[in-house]
């Protein structure tokens, strides 16, 4: 049976944000009812379940999906949009009510972490076609690929995400978990010999601490690793972090959060439609906060590939500078 065209399919990750997905959903549900948003909520039960639910929802006729979760849940939903074969992915409107730990994707689009404001953005209906990255990597001796909605990290960044994932599985829920992992592992991690190509041009061949590649600006819980990223310009932004002493970062730490990251001389900026990273030895990769495989890595771009709900202020800023931002 076809779904009501005006009804939203709501994918709720109950363990997102150390359990906020479950604990706060009654409050979120009330805001949705108060805004007269018709919805069908379904809770995820295991990893990648959000991908399966997305495929099922589109098959059943849903063309509007609300993600109640974090960046990882959105990552699964976006991958589900590209797995399903019913419609073009950009024919499904995706909204996010952020209950995760980092909530980095919403920051780029001006979507508030306040549930009432996030629901208001959904009811106002401003939408935007954002780019999507395609990431190819090595895992278990096989070449695999994923779709990326936000930012991927290679090297130290991915190492921290992997350690953080291990702590989550052990039940550690401190809000300072990421910061603790970051500092602790900084002194243990060894920079790796890396080659980086951007659009077939070798741009780096040296020791590298970390790399961030993405569509949007934020990762790591509010760090602007890609402050110049534009989510619909058909380009991938790249930040390369060379080996750096901790004391050098300490006195410039604020640059990581205020958009001034390239004022740190150890951090290089590149941009292109295709990026390849090779290393010796292998370094791991995380995509949208999800630890996956390792090098060699290849990144490409799908221009304006998914339709998302954005905040009105973001929409109006884009319209003011002439960006294409079709209303939903």
């Amino acid at each position: 049976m076809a779904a009501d065209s005006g009804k939203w399919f709501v994918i709720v990750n109950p363990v997102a944000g150390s359990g906020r997905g479950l604990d706060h959903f009654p409050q979120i549900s009330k805001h949705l009812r108060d805004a007269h948003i018709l919805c069908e909520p379904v809770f995820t039960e295991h990893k990648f379940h959000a991908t399966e639910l997305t495929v099922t929802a589109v098959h059943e006729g849903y063309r509007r999906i609300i993600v109640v979760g974090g960046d990882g849940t959105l990552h699964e939903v976006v991958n589900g949009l590209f797995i399903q074969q019913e419609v073009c992915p950009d024919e499904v409107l995706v909204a996010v009510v952020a209950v995760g730990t980092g909530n980095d994707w919403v920051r780029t689009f001006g979507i508030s972490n306040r549930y009432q404001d996030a629901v208001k953005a959904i009811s106002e209906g401003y939408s935007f076609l954002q780019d999507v990255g395609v990431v190819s990597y090595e895992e278990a001796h096989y070449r695999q690929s994923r779709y990326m909605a936000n930012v991927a990290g290679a090297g130290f960044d991915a190492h921290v995400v992997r350690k953080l994932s291990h702590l989550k599985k052990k039940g550690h829920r401190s809000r300072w978990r990421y910061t603790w992992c970051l500092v602790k592992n900084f002194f243990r991690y060894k920079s790796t010999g890396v080659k980086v190509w951007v659009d077939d041009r070798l741009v780096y061949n040296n020791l590298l601490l970390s790399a961030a590649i993405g569509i949007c600006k934020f990762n790591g819980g509010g760090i602007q690793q890609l402050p110049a990223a534009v989510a619909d310009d058909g380009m991938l932004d790249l930040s390369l972090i060379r080996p750096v002493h901790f004391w050098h970062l300490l006195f410039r730490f604020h640059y990581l959060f205020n958009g001034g990251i390239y004022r740190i001389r150890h951090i290089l900026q590149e941009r292109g439609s295709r990026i390849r990273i090779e290393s010796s030895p292998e370094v791991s990769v995380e995509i949208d906060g999800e630890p996956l495989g390792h090098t060699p890595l290849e990144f490409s771009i799908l221009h304006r590939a998914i339709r998302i709900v954005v905040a009105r202020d973001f929409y109006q800023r884009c319209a003011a500078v002439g960006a294409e931002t079709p209303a939903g």
Side-chain angles (χ1 to χ4, degrees), residues 24-72:
H24 293 187
F25 185 67
Q27 178 185 348
I28 295 166
S29 182
K30 181 181 185 303
H31 289 312
L32 291 168
R33 289 195 306 272
D34 291 346
H36 307 291
I37 296 172
L38 297 175
C39 57
E40 178 68 30
V42 179
F43 289 80
T44 61
E45 298 175 0
H46 51 78
K47 197 169 181 62
F48 306 126
H49 194 197
T51 299
E52 299 169 19
L53 290 173
T54 300
V55 174
T56 300
V58 176
H59 178 71
E60 291 179 355
Y62 286 95
R63 298 296 179 264
R64 299 170 181 231
I65 296 175
I66 297 173
V67 179
V68 179
D71 296 322

